[in-house]
Amino acid sequence: MNNNLLFDFSVDKENKAIHIKREFDASLGMVWQAWTTAELLDQWCAPNPYRTETKTMDFHEGGFWHYAIVSPEGGKHWSRYDYKKIEPQKSIIELRAFSDENGSVSPDFACTECTLIFSEADGKTLVTITEKYRSPEMFGKMATDSHKKGFSSHLRNLDKFLLTLKNK
């Protein structure tokens, strides 16, 4: 596994935004598939030692991903990502929110708008993520080293998962 891949996590307090850039040693098609397929997301998209469990995924504009982050003890923390715009193998704009088990979005937290941009150069894929927080409280909770470490952990899981896909 290549440990020299770009990972940049910056906080923009003025605009309540977090910018993340992460490079993967895999083709754009492979990274896109891992990022947009429920069965594949469930294999990498959670910080260790948690795991992801998809309940519903309808990956198209107007669709959504409803899933739980599952703790080692079995506790579930539900979220829902509503897909607003998708340009295949280029970008995704989604609204992220906490939800309940049925997919109802929690009124206690404003949705976060997230834009993901995918690009490829020299056989590596760069994913650029911008998280724009509508809630100052949620931004304060996420603009932390803890969020950076958790995000970094689940992206390292993607590195490992991509390596297994490449070796098949």
Side-chain angles (χ1 to χ4, degrees):
M1 190 165 53
N2 186 344
N3 291 323
N4 295 319
L5 297 171
L6 171 70
F7 176 64
D8 181 57
F9 184 101
S10 61
V11 174
D12 177 354
K13 290 182 182 179
E14 184 177 330
N15 294 304
K16 295 189 300 290
I18 295 174
H19 304 282
I20 302 160
K21 289 184 181 180
R22 182 60 156 76
E23 186 178 47
F24 298 94
D25 190 13
S27 70
L28 174 60
M30 192 177 288
V31 173
W32 181 265
Q33 184 179 12
W35 213 287
T36 61
T37 307
E39 296 79 19
L40 303 182
L41 280 162
D42 285 353
Q43 295 182 56
W44 68 268
C45 191
N48 292 327
Y50 295 83
R51 64 181 177 81
T52 299
E53 185 177 289
T54 295
K55 186 166 186 178
T56 304
M57 184 174 200
D58 186 7
F59 186 72
H60 76 277
E61 289 183 13
F64 63 91
W65 179 34
H66 178 220
Y67 70 96
I69 297 290
V70 183
S71 72
E73 299 77 31
K76 294 183 178 181
H77 305 279
W78 293 95
S79 291
R80 178 177 163 142
Y81 292 7
D82 285 88
Y83 299 115
K84 298 302 175 190
K85 186 171 183 187
I86 298 170
E87 293 183 77
Q89 296 195 20
K90 291 184 181 175
S91 66
I92 303 168
I93 298 175
E94 58 197 21
L95 291 180
R96 296 178 173 182
F98 293 110
S99 72
D100 64 15
E101 183 177 0
N102 299 314
S104 298
V105 172
S106 172
D108 297 333
F109 297 101
C111 294
T112 298
E113 182 179 279
C114 189
T115 301
L116 300 97
I117 307 292
F118 297 78
S119 61
E120 183 176 20
D122 301 321
K124 291 189 172 85
T125 300
L126 179 66
V127 181
T128 303
I129 303 165
T130 301
E131 300 172 338
K132 291 182 183 176
Y133 292 87
R134 296 176 179 171
S135 159
E137 295 79 19
M138 183 56 70
F139 174 71
K141 290 179 182 182
M142 302 308 280
T144 63
D145 281 340
S146 177
H147 179 54
K148 179 179 179 178
K149 287 176 187 173
F151 213 92
S152 177
S153 171
H154 95 257
L155 295 176
R156 281 192 307 275
N157 290 342
L158 178 54
D159 284 325
K160 293 173 190 168
F161 180 67
L162 291 168
L163 191 58
T164 65
L165 288 179
K166 286 168 84 172
N167 292 329
K168 284 187 176 183

